[in-house]
Amino acid sequence: MSKYMEIEVNGEIYKLVAGFGFLHEVNKKVTVDVPNTGKKKEVGLKFMVASIIDGDIDALADCIFNMNVGQTPRLKKADVENYLEDVDDIDKVFEDVINFLSQANACKKEVKPLMITQEAEKK
C-alpha cells in the first residue's frame, strides 16, 4: 500500500497524502459536544467520508484539496474542481479516494466502519 496517491491535473502530477496533517485539518471542521463533559470532539473526517460515500462531490473536492496540503506542487481549489468536472470516470475517483483513505494508517480505523455501514445499508 502506497503512503500517497497521485492525480494528474493539466499534465502535472500531484501527490495526495492522508496523514496526520490531513486528519487534523479535516477533523477540526466539524465538532460535536461530548455529553456531560463540557468538551467538544473533532469529527470532520467521519462527516467528510460519509459525504463522499453518499456521492457529495464538494466533499470529494475538499478531501482531495486537503490531502495535497503540504505537498509540492500545490493544487488550488479551482484546479481540483476543474479536474472533477472534466475527469472521464468520476465514479472511479470517488472509489479511489475512499479506498485510499481506508488504507491510510491515520484514517482507516474511522473509514472502514463507515464503508461497512454503507455496504450493509445497500443490502
Side-chain angles (χ1 to χ4, degrees):
M1 198 246 6
S2 178
K3 293 194 183 286
Y4 62 90
M5 68 180 283
E6 294 178 339
I7 62 170
E8 184 177 341
V9 179
N10 299 326
E12 182 134 19
I13 302 294
Y14 293 89
K15 188 185 290 187
L16 308 177
V17 177
F20 279 100
F22 165 78
L23 178 66
H24 295 309
E25 187 62 33
V26 299
N27 261 348
K28 67 184 174 186
K29 293 182 182 218
V30 178
T31 59
V32 294
D33 291 325
V34 179
N36 305 317
T37 65
K39 296 183 180 187
K40 294 189 177 284
K41 177 157 178 61
E42 295 177 339
V43 294
L45 179 66
K46 287 181 182 173
F47 278 82
M48 177 179 278
V49 169
S51 295
I52 294 169
I53 288 172
D54 286 342
D56 184 335
I57 199 165
D58 279 330
L60 180 63
D62 286 343
C63 183
I64 291 171
F65 179 79
N66 283 296
M67 284 195 294
N68 182 248
V69 170
Q71 304 303 309
T72 303
R74 185 75 178 100
L75 280 163
K76 294 180 179 75
K77 188 72 181 266
D79 294 331
V80 175
E81 291 170 351
N82 289 334
Y83 167 76
L84 293 175
E85 285 178 353
D86 296 337
V87 70
D88 291 331
D89 189 351
I90 189 67
D91 294 327
K92 182 168 179 2
V93 177
F94 273 97
E95 182 180 317
D96 288 349
V97 168
I98 289 296
N99 287 338
F100 177 67
L101 292 172
S102 74
Q103 295 173 23
N105 285 343
C107 302
K108 67 179 161 186
K109 292 293 186 181
E110 291 190 53
V111 175
K112 284 186 177 183
L114 293 170
M115 293 172 69
I116 291 167
T117 300
Q118 186 245 7
E119 283 299 317
E121 289 176 358
K122 281 185 177 178
K123 292 179 182 176

